[in-house]
Amino acid sequence: MKTTLARWLDSDVGHSFRSSPMAMAAALIAFICVFCAAFAGWVAPHNPFDLSTLELGDARLPPAWSAEGSTKYLLGTDDQGRDILSALIYGARISLIVGLASVVLSVLVGVTLGLLAGFRGGWIDAVLMRLCDVMLSFPAILVALLIAGVGRALFPNAHESLAFGVLILSISLTGWVQYARTVRGSTLVERNKEYVQAARVTGVAPLSIMRKHVLPNVLGPVLVLATIQVATAIITEATLSFLGVGAPPTSPSLGTLIRVGNDYLFSGEWWITVFPGVMLVLIALSVNLLGDWLRDALNPRLR
């Protein structure tokens, strides 16, 4: 009996994946980043947040291949003597968690409201779509910056978990609109098809029709959009952290590491900010390439 992976590889989507070197390379890079972030405690050579292990005498060491570098720190150290490679692994974990959590929350809110607006129509559809128009009239990063700033002002001494919650909420509130509009458009098409009419005639409740019949048929575009939006959410989080209203300084993400290294960029310690920037680009680029491939693979017109 074939395993689930074998059946997927034999499917149309699996064949499209195997025949696309770009998709396989992007998947490999994304897998390595996610694996290292998930098992940072075992993969990272040092714990950059353990103050007892930091040595200020090792601060701002260049990468190991430089003349003044040390093999103990492959990518060098920052201004506090933290290993850059270890900081990248731990920082990527924070960025990925915030990005994935914000996208999941955006999908839940956007799909629910879009399904309700498209299926029920009437004043519910009008109110929700006008709300979407209002949200789209403001730059997403400005709304996220406002919410994150207000949250920090209201809870200046908040625990890290609350700070991350505010950060995830600020990104989610700017991302649900695209899912709502996409699902609404697909629902408007699906609600008039024969299988929905048959379910209504047989007395199936509207909530069951939306959940069991319409929802599975509108999730294709949502899956593609969510894949691409993960990269956008990670970049938004990095931007907020770079501006000082994102991840707490005690648990720096890639954006925080870039901001710290930016102060030393023109004094010769380029590795402090360049390597976090390269890590951020690799994660965002690999996820975007996977999203582009998934969009083409799920489009029957391109098969």
Side-chain angles (χ1 to χ4, degrees):
M1 181 179 294
K2 290 185 175 181
T3 63
T4 302
L5 179 60
R7 288 196 298 268
W8 181 81
L9 291 175
D10 290 337
S11 64
D12 292 338
V13 177
H15 179 268
S16 174
F17 178 77
R18 289 186 287 112
S19 60
S20 175
M22 186 66 69
M24 290 191 293
L28 178 61
I29 295 175
F31 173 79
I32 293 175
C33 293
V34 171
F35 179 84
C36 292
F39 301 98
W42 292 275
V43 176
H46 306 277
N47 185 352
F49 307 131
D50 186 0
L51 299 181
S52 62
T53 62
L54 298 182
E55 298 181 10
L56 294 179
D58 293 337
R60 292 184 285 182
L61 288 178
W65 57 82
S66 300
E68 300 178 357
S70 172
T71 55
K72 182 180 178 181
Y73 307 108
L74 183 61
L75 300 182
T77 60
D78 62 4
D79 60 317
Q80 300 181 23
R82 294 181 298 191
D83 179 39
I84 294 294
L85 178 59
S86 301
L88 290 181
I89 295 175
Y90 278 86
R93 179 171 64 177
I94 296 174
S95 296
L96 287 171
I97 290 176
V98 173
L100 291 174
S102 61
V103 168
V104 169
L105 184 58
S106 296
V107 168
L108 291 177
V109 175
V111 170
T112 301
L113 296 181
L115 193 63
L116 181 63
F119 192 82
R120 300 294 296 182
W123 67 269
I124 297 178
D125 182 25
V127 170
L128 290 177
M129 289 304 101
R130 297 298 76 76
L131 179 60
C132 290
D133 292 338
V134 172
M135 294 297 296
L136 289 174
S137 63
F138 296 96
I141 188 63
L142 180 61
V143 176
L145 185 63
L146 175 63
I147 297 173
V150 171
R152 281 180 171 268
L154 293 177
F155 308 101
N157 300 319
H159 191 266
E160 287 187 4
S161 58
L162 181 58
F164 281 117
V166 172
L167 179 60
I168 292 172
L169 181 63
S170 65
I171 299 176
S172 302
L173 289 181
T174 62
W176 67 270
V177 177
Q178 299 185 47
Y179 301 102
R181 294 173 71 93
T182 301
V183 172
R184 172 188 176 269
S186 300
T187 304
L188 289 175
V189 176
E190 296 294 328
R191 72 175 184 177
N192 296 320
K193 291 188 176 180
E194 291 79 3
Y195 72 92
V196 176
Q197 301 299 330
R200 285 175 171 171
V201 170
T202 57
V204 180
L207 183 60
S208 297
I209 296 177
M210 287 190 290
R211 182 169 56 88
K212 297 181 180 180
H213 299 280
V214 179
L215 181 59
N217 291 286
V218 301
L219 286 181
V222 172
L223 180 60
V224 176
L225 183 59
T227 304
I228 298 176
Q229 285 297 313
V230 169
T232 303
I234 291 174
I235 293 177
T236 302
E237 182 278 327
T239 303
L240 293 175
S241 297
F242 183 84
L243 296 175
V245 294
T250 54
S251 299
S253 65
L254 293 177
T256 307
L257 296 175
I258 295 174
R259 176 174 60 85
V260 172
N262 188 59
D263 297 334
Y264 301 93
L265 181 61
F266 297 104
S267 61
E269 289 84 9
W270 53 268
W271 57 89
I272 302 179
T273 188
V274 168
F275 289 130
V278 171
M279 184 72 169
L280 180 63
V281 170
L282 283 177
I283 294 176
L285 182 60
S286 62
V287 174
N288 274 331
L289 290 176
L290 281 177
D292 291 341
W293 161 78
L294 190 61
R295 178 195 58 201
D296 297 338
L298 295 180
N299 189 349
R301 297 180 180 179
L302 300 178
R303 294 179 183 173

